[in-house]
Amino acid sequence: FFGSDLEKFITSLNTYRMGPEPGCHFNASRTQQILQATLDRYLEGVCYSPDSCSQLCQMLADLVLSKLKDVNPPRYKLVCQVVVGQSGKQGISVASRSLMNPNTDNYTSAVFQNHSLFAVALVHGMYFE
Amino acid sequence: IVVALFDKNVQNNEEHNLAVESTIGNSSYQHSKINQWMSGIVESSLSQLTKLGKPFKYIVTCIILQKNGAGLHTASSCFWDNSTDGSCTVRWENKTIYCIVSVFGLAI
C-alpha cells in the first residue's frame, strides 16, 4: 500500500454552512500587526550566527503560529512560513502565489531587518469547508 | 464528504524542478529579471498543480537568493489537518542562484 495512490473517504457531520460567518473572516490587518510585533520583539538586536539561526527560525514560526491560533476564527487553516537570512551584499526575492477563494481566504506578510540579519514572515489563512 | 490525500510523490517534485529549470535555466542572477522569473516559476507551478484536478487549495512560495556567501534559513509551521494536507519543497541551484520552491496543499 505504500507509495500507491490512496483515496480516503472521511465522513463528518454536516453543518450546512456554506461560508464563514459575517465578522469571522481571516483578519489580515490584525494578523499583520501581530506578525510585525512578534518579529520586532524577538529579533531586536539579534546577530546572525549559522548554528543558532536555524533554531531561531523554527522557533519564530512556531511562536507566530501559536499567537495566531488564539485570534484565528473557527474553520480556518493557517500556513506560516518564516525566512531568516544573513544581511550580506546579496539580492534576495521572495514571492508567493496561491490558488484560493478570495472571498474567504487571505494572507499577510511582515519584514524585519537589522544590521546583521533580515526576516520575512508569511501567513496564509484558508477557509475549510 | 469525499477528501483526497495530498500525495507527496516524486512526480510532484519533478514537475516543480521542470518549472524552475525552464524559467531560469542557466542564467546568472540579474536584478532586473527577477520579477519576471519569480512570476514565471510560480505561475507555471500553480498551473501544473491545477491541471492535476484535485480538490485542493494551493500556496506556492518561491525564494530566489543570489550566491554571495550569506546564510539563509527557512522554516514553516502549519495549522491544518495532518491526514489530508501536506507540503513539498524543491531546491534548485546553479552557479549564481539558489531557488527554493515550497508548495502547500490544503484540502477543502
Side-chain angles (χ1 to χ4, degrees):
Chain A
F1 289 85
F2 276 58
S4 63
D5 262 349
L6 293 172
E7 286 274 309
K8 225 181 189 181
F9 290 87
I10 296 178
T11 51
S12 42
L13 283 174
N14 214 337
T15 58
Y16 299 101
R17 184 162 289 289
M18 300 269 279
E21 282 170 47
C24 268
H25 284 250
F26 181 73
N27 199 332
S29 52
R30 190 165 49 162
T31 319
Q32 215 277 334
Q33 284 167 0
I34 296 176
L35 265 186
Q36 193 67 61
T38 316
L39 281 184
D40 292 339
R41 187 153 30 119
Y42 283 90
L43 293 178
E44 191 72 52
V46 174
C47 260
Y48 180 86
S49 90
D51 19 330
S52 70
C53 266
S54 54
Q55 280 173 329
L56 176 71
C57 199
Q58 186 66 54
M59 184 211 78
L60 268 177
D62 295 332
L63 191 70
V64 162
L65 196 68
S66 59
K67 291 206 173 193
L68 289 178
K69 276 200 270 193
D70 300 331
V71 295
N72 193 30
R75 303 201 114 195
Y76 268 88
K77 289 183 179 173
L78 294 172
V79 175
C80 165
Q81 199 169 16
V82 175
V83 180
V84 170
Q86 190 177 13
S87 260
K89 295 224 169 85
Q90 84 277 12
I92 179 173
S93 189
V94 178
S96 145
R97 198 149 305 187
S98 40
L99 185 70
M100 58 184 187
N101 183 355
N103 294 334
T104 56
D105 307 329
N106 214 337
Y107 75 96
T108 38
S109 63
V111 175
F112 173 84
Q113 187 171 22
N114 71 10
H115 63 279
S116 72
L117 58 71
F118 69 89
V120 177
L122 190 57
V123 173
H124 291 259
M126 301 269 166
Y127 181 71
F128 174 61
E129 281 166 25
Chain B
I1 303 171
V2 172
V3 170
L5 274 178
F6 186 82
D7 207 358
K8 277 187 297 182
N9 51 19
V10 179
Q11 196 189 14
N12 249 328
N13 270 328
E14 281 176 3
E15 280 173 11
H16 298 306
N17 250 324
L18 271 175
V20 177
E21 191 85 33
S22 59
T23 316
I24 309 187
N26 280 323
S27 342
S28 44
Y29 185 91
Q30 276 169 290
H31 189 70
S32 50
K33 292 223 179 124
I34 280 290
N35 275 331
Q36 215 180 328
W37 289 339
M38 310 268 309
S39 323
I41 293 171
V42 171
E43 268 164 32
S44 61
S45 283
L46 206 51
S47 58
Q48 278 171 351
L49 285 169
T50 47
K51 276 191 214 157
L52 294 175
K54 301 217 172 142
F56 284 101
K57 290 183 176 173
Y58 296 105
I59 299 170
V60 178
T61 319
C62 173
I63 302 173
I64 294 190
L65 178 68
Q66 192 183 9
K67 277 194 188 181
N68 217 349
L72 182 82
H73 301 273
T74 60
S76 67
S77 58
C78 308
F79 182 57
W80 61 23
D81 187 349
N82 264 333
S83 54
T84 58
D85 309 325
S87 68
C88 160
T89 313
V90 169
R91 268 154 288 164
W92 183 93
E93 65 176 287
N94 72 5
K95 274 193 288 192
T96 51
I97 306 175
Y98 278 121
C99 180
I100 304 169
V101 179
S102 330
V103 177
F104 299 90
L106 302 165
I108 48 169

